[in-house]
Amino acid sequence: MAAPGGAEGPAEALWAEVRALLPRAEEGLTLALSGETEDCVLPLLRRARGLLYGAAARPGGAAALRRLAGVLRDYAWERLNAGPWREVSKAWRQVYAYGCLFGALAEVAAGRPLAPAVRLCDMGLLMGAAVQDNVLARLVRVLQPHLPRGPRRDGPQGSAKRARVSRRPVPVVQPEDAVPHLHRPSLEHFRDSYLIPQRPVVLEGVTEHWPCMKKWSVDYFCEVAGCRTVPVELGAQYTDEEWSQKLMTVSDFIDQYIVNENSEGYLAQHQLFDQIPELKEDIGIPDYCCLGEGEEDDITINAWFGPEGTVSPLHHDPQQNFLAQVFGRKYIRLYSPQDSENLYPHESQMLHNTSQVDVEDPDLVKFPNFRKAAFQSCILMPGQVLFIPVKYWHYVRSLDISFSVSFWWS
């Protein structure tokens, strides 16, 4: 493949970086799929591959590749949305990823603006499956430095205009209900006193050396990740009927839900650090995770970024959890699994791990036994890490603009 249109200078240098991500010969791009699709798919992929390796040399090649990539994405998208996500085959997700890859490369080959190419990479990362040694993640890492930096925004302590001013007051944590705090306990002490007996604890001093504690802010995310596409939860909480999800750029999310707070929006339980590896370099993995049974790669790391007032209703998770607070504060209430019957879990299979009770405003006529459930609580501050044992019920409300990182481990 030649440089786009025989261009020289920055465009040629970028194309050379992009070209280095791909096999030298067309046959090296194997187009292997992890299962069956339909007979027409492989010929379409091969045609797109042929266009890719000639796109920059033949007049109109990039435009033809762009159109064919769109056909592949549309075709795969129908299969991705034909039923429950868990039933979607990996092969169709790979086809979608190839459609995103070919589309992004066509944008670069044509010398077009790079933001659409980055969005295509993100769509492939979010909805597709890894192909060619996770080439989409490597491609977006090459493209992003060539994009203009995002505009500056008010940080967590900025004077952003608020559309909603009515908030629940900050709860008072009574000493008898407070989760205990420890400053960097030894592995043995944590294991024997908290992990084995499954007791919550707030750990201090664990994250003080993480770069994110000094670097991260609303402003920082807008600058380094503003163009990246992420899934955002819309609605007060996921149990509400009007709750939904939407894909948008980080910049749009910050504008609409952090700075102006037009409505409830929450970037919740998203594996942002797999999508943007640069951010993963700013965090560590708590040493206490080594007490688990799996390898480091088995730890699921999620991002939680949202405005004041975001709520995760009372629920429990299937793994041990370290919740690290980077900026902002969160009010958290915890209930033992032994109190599950008093917490009124939803009867549906989808929400069986979630309580029907509004923890801070319970309907004790409808849920009378809720008053019998004992709880612990804390206000998680920046730099603190809360250990939430597996199956332990927890309710979370952001008291400020907040960013947290959770580590789920076995």
Side-chain angles (χ1 to χ4, degrees):
M1 288 183 289
E8 298 180 356
E12 183 179 34
L14 174 59
W15 186 252
E17 284 188 81
V18 169
R19 177 65 186 84
L21 301 175
L22 303 171
R24 293 183 62 85
E26 180 177 331
E27 295 74 17
L29 197 67
T30 57
L31 303 175
L33 300 176
S34 301
E36 297 182 358
T37 53
E38 293 181 8
D39 292 343
C40 64
V41 169
L42 195 54
L44 287 173
L45 288 171
R46 288 171 177 160
R47 183 181 171 194
R49 179 180 63 184
L51 287 169
L52 169 64
Y53 277 79
R58 289 197 295 268
L65 177 60
R66 187 167 176 257
R67 289 192 295 271
L68 184 53
V71 171
L72 283 165
R73 291 195 304 277
D74 291 343
Y75 201 51
W77 187 259
E78 292 183 8
R79 304 310 186 277
L80 298 186
N81 291 277
W85 181 252
R86 64 180 178 274
E87 297 178 7
V88 176
S89 76
K90 185 178 180 181
W92 278 114
R93 293 177 62 203
Q94 289 171 323
V95 173
Y96 185 77
Y98 274 118
C100 293
L101 173 65
F102 290 135
L105 292 171
E107 299 287 333
V108 180
R112 297 167 65 90
L114 295 180
V118 170
R119 176 174 172 79
L120 283 169
C121 290
D122 279 329
M123 291 299 296
L125 290 168
L126 293 169
M127 304 299 295
V131 295
Q132 300 293 320
D133 192 24
N134 205 16
V135 67
L136 284 170
R138 293 184 288 125
L139 175 57
V140 77
R141 199 162 190 172
V142 168
L143 298 180
Q144 191 164 341
H146 296 270
L147 290 166
R149 301 285 277 189
R152 298 185 66 86
R153 299 290 193 278
D154 287 322
Q157 305 302 323
S159 56
K161 181 180 178 181
R162 301 295 175 201
R164 295 193 311 273
V165 295
S166 176
R167 297 293 188 193
R168 287 176 170 172
V170 176
V172 176
V173 176
Q174 301 298 333
E176 62 270 21
D177 301 328
V179 178
H181 287 231
L182 282 178
H183 183 81
R184 278 203 310 239
S186 67
L187 291 175
E188 293 78 8
H189 182 50
F190 172 77
R191 181 195 62 201
D192 296 341
S193 299
Y194 296 96
L195 179 59
I196 293 176
Q198 293 286 274
R199 297 172 54 206
V201 62
V202 174
L203 303 175
E204 299 181 348
V206 174
T207 66
E208 59 189 18
H209 63 287
W210 293 4
C212 65
M213 299 308 301
K214 294 183 178 178
K215 291 171 61 176
W216 287 7
S217 66
V218 173
D219 192 12
Y220 179 78
F221 280 105
C222 206
E223 287 189 37
V224 304
C227 65
R228 304 302 298 272
T229 298
V230 293
V232 173
E233 297 183 358
L234 304 179
Q237 53 192 33
Y238 64 76
T239 52
D240 293 350
E241 289 186 5
E242 64 271 18
W243 181 90
S244 64
Q245 288 183 299
K246 181 180 181 180
L247 293 173
M248 62 177 62
T249 65
V250 170
S251 180
D252 286 344
F253 166 67
I254 289 172
D255 277 342
Q256 295 179 37
Y257 301 106
I258 302 293
V259 174
N260 294 310
E261 292 194 32
N262 295 323
S263 58
E264 296 280 1
Y266 197 12
L267 199 170
Q269 196 175 320
H270 177 48
Q271 295 181 27
L272 184 68
F273 308 100
D274 290 339
Q275 184 183 357
I276 310 178
E278 298 92 324
L279 293 175
K280 193 172 184 178
E281 297 170 2
D282 291 339
I283 63 174
I285 294 177
D287 292 341
Y288 307 99
C289 290
C290 75
L291 299 170
E293 297 176 350
E295 302 296 326
E296 185 172 302
D297 289 344
D298 298 325
I299 299 170
T300 300
I301 307 176
N302 284 316
W304 308 79
F305 181 25
E308 175 189 352
T310 53
V311 168
S312 294
L314 187 62
H315 70 286
H316 64 77
D317 298 317
Q319 291 183 290
Q320 317 281 4
N321 183 8
F322 284 120
L323 182 65
Q325 193 67 13
V326 180
F327 58 74
R329 302 167 298 158
K330 282 186 168 174
Y331 172 65
I332 303 173
R333 197 184 290 189
L334 302 116
Y335 294 82
S336 167
Q338 296 176 356
D339 267 318
S340 293
E341 289 187 2
N342 296 325
L343 302 179
Y344 299 89
H346 283 269
E347 295 181 1
S348 68
Q349 181 61 29
M350 182 170 291
L351 291 175
H352 72 280
N353 71 327
T354 303
S355 170
Q356 301 176 62
V357 182
D358 180 344
V359 166
E360 294 193 74
D361 187 20
D363 183 343
L364 295 177
V365 174
K366 188 175 182 180
F367 309 113
N369 290 337
F370 181 70
R371 58 166 57 91
K372 300 178 182 179
F375 66 86
Q376 294 176 284
S377 61
C378 68
I379 294 179
L380 198 65
M381 305 293 288
Q384 296 179 340
V385 179
L386 173 63
F387 170 58
I388 305 174
V390 61
K391 298 287 187 179
Y392 230 87
W393 294 84
H394 50 288
Y395 164 88
V396 185
R397 174 164 66 92
S398 297
L399 303 178
D400 311 296
I401 295 172
S402 168
F403 198 108
S404 313
V405 182
S406 64
F407 302 83
W408 289 350
W409 54 291
S410 298

